[in-house]
């Protein structure tokens, strides 16, 4: 059974890996610009996820601890050494935990005592800095919250700790999640591990870059309009935006409350599935969290060896026509079309579909998100929250604290949102945007009636240069066109690396976005896992990691 992808732009950025002796395929030459790299795409792996697929860092760590081949202290020390070594170049973290090694030593004591290990024991997790942590600053990437330490953990963080995870630090982001490159951070700009002159995406760029550079095992981000999926594509990692309500938002700093979700990053589908299992489920502290049962996402992932030659036979896939047309880089289109062809090889029934309301999503999103932000960010006034600047009249304290604490992008979105909600303009902007949102939701429902999943690029381009779009906010906003509709519809979406385009020292990764019906994350992960395993010889490991 052959699982070759007909993509002339796909490269192998690391060493050539040998094919398994059984079910082998013929090698082929894969071109990348003027260079060539000899590579082969393999048949399915021999192990199931349950028995420990090597691509799962979480399962590998667990196996090492249970077999006592390695200690949690050794593993934590290795990650921390790498984190500190590359951090001056990448700048993924705003704060690094001072207690990570002590927590790793506690795991070692559990192992020595023969106690049962929780599922994430010894696993180092990065947490986006707009998600509250009781033992570390939580700034939201904003100077107005510089030094702020919450009195509680976000529910997602609490569940991580209960599962044995070690929170290694807080990752950089665009201020309060408002941006697509981390250039809007109040503190620093994160670099892409594939090319240090390029952005990692945003707003969860720090979380994506940290996983890509192997500074941590997995990480949490937040996704309001694509802030997990776009950086996952730019950094060559797996990114999951769950259904709205699947993961509690308690402890997530609100940007646009009807759109915000907490999502996951990992270097494999298995790791993302395990992480999502831990943080999902109803939370009485969040009235919008769903009471639906949470499937065991990881245990539903099955090796291709246990399936037939067409493991996705009959799965109906809709390629969204509006996402591969004008305004999308040719290399990105080529990579996504090759991925679509690969899904056909796996047995899927591929159809090109149209979402007539797709182009309306971007303006509707920015009106709705800005409107909600103008309300949510009113709490940062220098008195209830945030650093106080000035004294005297109350209005003066408010004005000086917000003027000095907020960055330009945040101020602009607050003004946009306030204008859209003001008397005389509410019906023309906010109300109409809500009507468009309803239209988008209907379009997706209709598309899902005829298809099991939808696919598209995660972004119209690969990672661009730092500073390239800072003076052109409309061009920056246009980069969200592939992702915002999914948030408006409240659906889950997964991004899995699917290929490369020219750029940087070893090419730039491209991500395939896979969309499913509400609360069908298990379908996304199953499809993504099969897709990923057939690409196991295409190592999405940046040159920076290989050099350290």
């Amino acid at each position: 059974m052959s699982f070759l992808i007909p993509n002339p732009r796909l490269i192998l950025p690391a060493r050539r890996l040998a094919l398994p002796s059984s079910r082998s395929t013929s090698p082929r030459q894969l071109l990348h610009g003027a260079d060539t790299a000899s590579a082969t795409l393999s048949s399915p792996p021999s192990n199931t996820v349950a028995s420990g697929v090597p691509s799962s860092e979480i399962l590998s760590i667990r196996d090492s601890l249970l077999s006592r081949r390695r200690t949690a202290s050794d593993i934590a020390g290795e990650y921390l050494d790498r984190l500190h070594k590359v951090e001056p170049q990448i700048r993924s973290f705003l704060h690094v935990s001072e207690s990570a090694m002590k927590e790793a030593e506690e795991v070692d004591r559990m192992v020595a005592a023969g106690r049962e290990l929780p599922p994430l024991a010894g696993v180092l997790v990065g947490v986006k800095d707009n998600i509250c942590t009781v033992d570390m600053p939580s700034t939201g990437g904003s100077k107005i919250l510089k030094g702020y330490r919450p009195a509680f953990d976000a529910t997602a963080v609490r569940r991580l700790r209960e599962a044995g995870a070690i929170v290694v630090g807080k990752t950089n982001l665009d201020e309060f999640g408002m941006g697509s490159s981390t250039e809007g951070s109040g503190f620093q700009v994160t670099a892409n591990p594939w090319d240090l002159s390029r952005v990692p995406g945003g707003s969860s760029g720090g979380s994506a870059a940290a996983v890509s550079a192997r500074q941590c095992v997995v990480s949490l981000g937040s996704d309001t309009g694509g802030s997990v999926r776009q950086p996952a594509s730019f950094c060559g990692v797996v990114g999951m935006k769950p259904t709205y309500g699947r993961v509690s938002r308690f402890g997530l700093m609100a940007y646009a409350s009807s759109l915000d979700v907490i999502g996951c990053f990992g270097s494999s589908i298995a790791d993302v599935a395990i992480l999502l299992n831990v943080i999902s489920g109803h939370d009485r502290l969040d009235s919008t969290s769903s009471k639906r049962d949470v499937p065991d996402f990881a245990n539903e992932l099955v090796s291709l060896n246990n399936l037939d030659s067409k493991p996705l036979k009959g799965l109906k896939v809709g390629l969204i026509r509006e996402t591969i047309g004008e305004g999308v880089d040719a290399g990105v289109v080529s990579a996504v079309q090759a991925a679509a062809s690969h899904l056909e090889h796996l047995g899927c029934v591929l159809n090109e579909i149209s979402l007539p309301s797709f182009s309306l999503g971007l303006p509707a999103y920015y009106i709705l998100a800005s409107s909600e932000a103008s309300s949510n960010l009113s709490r940062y006034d220098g008195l209830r929250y945030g650093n106080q600047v000035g004294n005297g009249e109350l209005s003066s304290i408010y004005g000086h604290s917000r003027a000095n604490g907020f960055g330009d992008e945040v101020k602009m979105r607050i003004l946009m949102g306030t204008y859209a909600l003001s008397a005389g303009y509410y019906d023309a902007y906010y109300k109409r945007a809500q009507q468009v949102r309803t239209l988008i939701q209907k379009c997706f429902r209709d598309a899902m009636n005829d298809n099991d999943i939808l696919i598209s690029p995660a972004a119209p381009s690969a990672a661009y240069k730092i500073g390239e779009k800072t003076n052109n906010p409309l061009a920056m906003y246009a980069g969200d066109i592939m992702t915002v509709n999914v948030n408006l519809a409240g659906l889950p979406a997964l991004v899995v690396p699917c290929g490369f385009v020219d750029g940087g020292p070893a090419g730039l990764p491209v991500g395939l976005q896979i969309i499913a019906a509400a609360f069908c994350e298990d379908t996304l992960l199953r499809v993504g896992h099969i897709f990923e395993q057939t690409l196991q010889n295409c190592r999405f490991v940046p040159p920076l990691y290989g050099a350290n």
Side-chain angles (χ1 to χ4, degrees), residues 122-137:
V123 175
L124 273 66
V125 182
V127 175
K128 188 175 179 179
D129 203 36
N130 62 346
I131 301 172
C132 289
T133 48
V134 70
D135 57 344
M136 281 179 272

Side-chain angles (χ1 to χ4, degrees), residues 257-443:
S257 302
S258 71
L259 301 167
D260 297 338
V261 297
I262 291 177
C264 310
F265 292 99
S267 56
S268 70
I269 295 289
D271 285 346
V272 166
I274 294 167
L275 186 62
L276 184 62
N277 258 126
V278 168
I279 65 173
S280 294
H282 177 66
D283 177 20
R284 63 180 181 81
L285 298 174
D286 175 11
S287 62
T288 64
S289 71
S290 172
K291 294 183 179 180
R292 286 179 179 246
D293 291 337
V294 179
D296 193 333
F297 301 121
N299 276 345
E300 293 186 9
L301 304 182
V302 182
S303 166
L304 293 179
N305 279 346
N306 296 329
L307 303 174
D308 59 25
S309 62
K310 299 288 185 180
L312 295 177
K313 185 177 181 179
L315 189 82
K316 296 179 180 178
V317 179
L319 174 59
I320 303 173
R321 181 180 303 133
E322 289 81 1
T323 66
I324 55 172
E326 185 178 355
V328 185
D329 287 1
V332 171
V333 172
S334 175
V336 170
Q337 288 178 332
S341 178
H342 182 48
L343 288 172
E344 283 191 293
H345 283 267
L346 296 173
C348 294
V349 178
L350 181 69
N351 294 295
E352 190 173 296
I353 67 163
S354 176
L355 295 180
S357 63
F358 188 85
S359 63
L360 303 177
L362 197 64
Y365 165 81
Y366 274 100
I367 289 172
L368 295 174
S370 297
S371 296
E372 293 186 30
S374 72
S375 174
N376 279 324
L377 269 64
S378 64
R379 71 193 68 182
Y380 304 110
D381 54 15
L383 295 177
R384 292 171 294 177
Y385 290 96
N387 293 311
Q388 183 173 316
V389 177
N391 50 47
E393 293 293 329
L394 192 62
S395 60
S396 176
I397 295 175
Y398 284 172
H400 284 95
S401 297
R402 291 168 68 83
N404 285 273
F406 288 144
D408 291 342
E409 182 66 28
V410 171
K411 292 175 184 175
M412 182 168 65
R413 297 198 192 194
I414 289 173
L415 291 172
M416 287 169 55
T418 304
Y419 178 83
L421 292 172
S422 61
Y425 298 99
Y426 178 91
D427 287 349
Y429 293 102
Y430 184 79
K431 182 179 179 180
R432 184 168 294 184
Q434 288 286 26
Q435 292 169 334
V436 169
R437 182 178 192 169
T438 301
L439 185 63
I440 289 169
Q441 291 169 341
K442 181 180 184 303
C443 273

Side-chain angles (χ1 to χ4, degrees), residues 84-368:
H84 290 299
K85 188 172 185 178
V86 302
E87 184 58 18
Q89 299 166 279
I90 297 183
R91 303 176 297 279
S92 298
F93 286 88
L94 294 177
H95 185 85
V96 178
S97 171
E98 298 174 354
S99 62
M101 286 304 298
K102 291 181 180 179
E103 294 177 51
E105 290 166 1
E106 177 59 31
V107 173
D108 289 334
R109 285 190 284 272
M110 292 177 64
V111 173
R115 293 162 56 192
E116 182 178 353
L117 293 182
L120 295 183
V123 175
L124 273 66
V125 182
V127 175
K128 188 175 179 179
D129 203 36
N130 62 346
I131 301 172
C132 289
T133 48
V134 70
D135 57 344
M136 281 179 272
S138 300
T139 69
S142 178
K143 291 179 180 178
I144 203 168
L145 285 179
K146 184 177 181 180
Y148 170 66
R149 287 179 177 258
F152 59 92
D153 278 333
T155 296
V157 173
R158 175 177 57 79
R159 289 174 174 171
L160 286 177
R161 297 191 199 274
E162 290 171 352
I166 300 170
V167 177
V168 69
K170 305 300 292 295
T171 57
N172 192 32
L173 69 154
D174 292 288
E175 188 177 5
F176 289 114
M178 300 181 190
S180 304
S181 64
T182 76
E183 292 168 293
S185 170
F187 303 104
Q188 62 192 30
V189 178
T190 300
N192 191 315
W194 288 87
D195 181 350
L196 298 178
S197 69
R198 296 177 187 268
V199 302
S203 63
S204 307
S207 291
V211 171
S212 179
R214 307 313 193 256
Q215 293 177 292
C216 57
V217 181
V218 289
S219 64
L220 294 185
S222 65
D223 192 311
T224 305
S227 291
V228 164
R229 289 160 289 154
Q230 183 241 36
S233 179
F234 282 9
C235 292
V237 297
V238 177
M240 166 64 85
K241 174 222 172 288
T243 307
Y244 184 83
R246 172 68 85 185
V247 178
S248 171
R249 291 185 298 111
F250 179 76
L252 171 65
M253 296 178 187
Y255 164 19
S257 302
S258 71
L259 301 167
D260 297 338
V261 297
I262 291 177
C264 310
F265 292 99
S267 56
S268 70
I269 295 289
D271 285 346
V272 166
I274 294 167
L275 186 62
L276 184 62
N277 258 126
V278 168
I279 65 173
S280 294
H282 177 66
D283 177 20
R284 63 180 181 81
L285 298 174
D286 175 11
S287 62
T288 64
S289 71
S290 172
K291 294 183 179 180
R292 286 179 179 246
D293 291 337
V294 179
D296 193 333
F297 301 121
N299 276 345
E300 293 186 9
L301 304 182
V302 182
S303 166
L304 293 179
N305 279 346
N306 296 329
L307 303 174
D308 59 25
S309 62
K310 299 288 185 180
L312 295 177
K313 185 177 181 179
L315 189 82
K316 296 179 180 178
V317 179
L319 174 59
I320 303 173
R321 181 180 303 133
E322 289 81 1
T323 66
I324 55 172
E326 185 178 355
V328 185
D329 287 1
V332 171
V333 172
S334 175
V336 170
Q337 288 178 332
S341 178
H342 182 48
L343 288 172
E344 283 191 293
H345 283 267
L346 296 173
C348 294
V349 178
L350 181 69
N351 294 295
E352 190 173 296
I353 67 163
S354 176
L355 295 180
S357 63
F358 188 85
S359 63
L360 303 177
L362 197 64
Y365 165 81
Y366 274 100
I367 289 172
L368 295 174

